């Protein structure tokens, strides 16, 4: 519970900026519960290459109840 609160607080500025975006940026992995290609954040994280490159995951609105560990060498932006 504490980790979720900390993560939410840390991402709040980025989430506020991305809140108005309605389409995924080019090259982003797209999470959408109703029409994929990834239906969960965990599935998108698992598909990330572990090559040190910066990656973006774009999530459509919804309730995603999962615990996610991002363990890779490159940066990940979740929008």
């Amino acid at each position: 519970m504490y980790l979720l609160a900390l993560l939410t607080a840390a991402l709040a500025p980025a989430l506020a900026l991305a809140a108005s975006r309605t389409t995924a940026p080019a090259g982003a992995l797209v999470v959408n519960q109703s029409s994929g290609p990834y239906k969960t954040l965990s599935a998108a994280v698992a598909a990330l290459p572990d090559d040190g490159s910066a990656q973006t995951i774009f999530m459509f609105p919804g309730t995603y109840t999962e615990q996610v560990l991002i363990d890779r060498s490159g940066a990940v932006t979740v929008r």
Side-chain angles (χ1 to χ4, degrees):
M1 194 67 126
Y2 176 71
L3 178 59
L4 177 59
L6 182 62
L7 181 60
T8 302
L11 292 177
L15 293 175
L17 290 175
S20 63
R21 186 171 194 112
T22 58
T23 59
L29 281 75
V30 178
V31 178
N32 188 336
Q33 290 173 318
S34 61
S35 63
Y38 301 100
K39 297 195 184 284
T40 65
L41 177 57
S42 298
V45 168
L48 291 170
D50 192 17
D51 60 4
S53 64
Q55 297 289 320
T56 300
I57 297 174
F58 182 83
M59 296 182 69
F60 278 90
T63 301
Y64 299 86
T65 306
E66 48 187 317
Q67 294 181 356
V68 180
L69 171 65
I70 301 174
D71 184 24
R72 64 184 304 272
S73 56
V76 176
T77 303
V78 179
R79 296 181 176 211

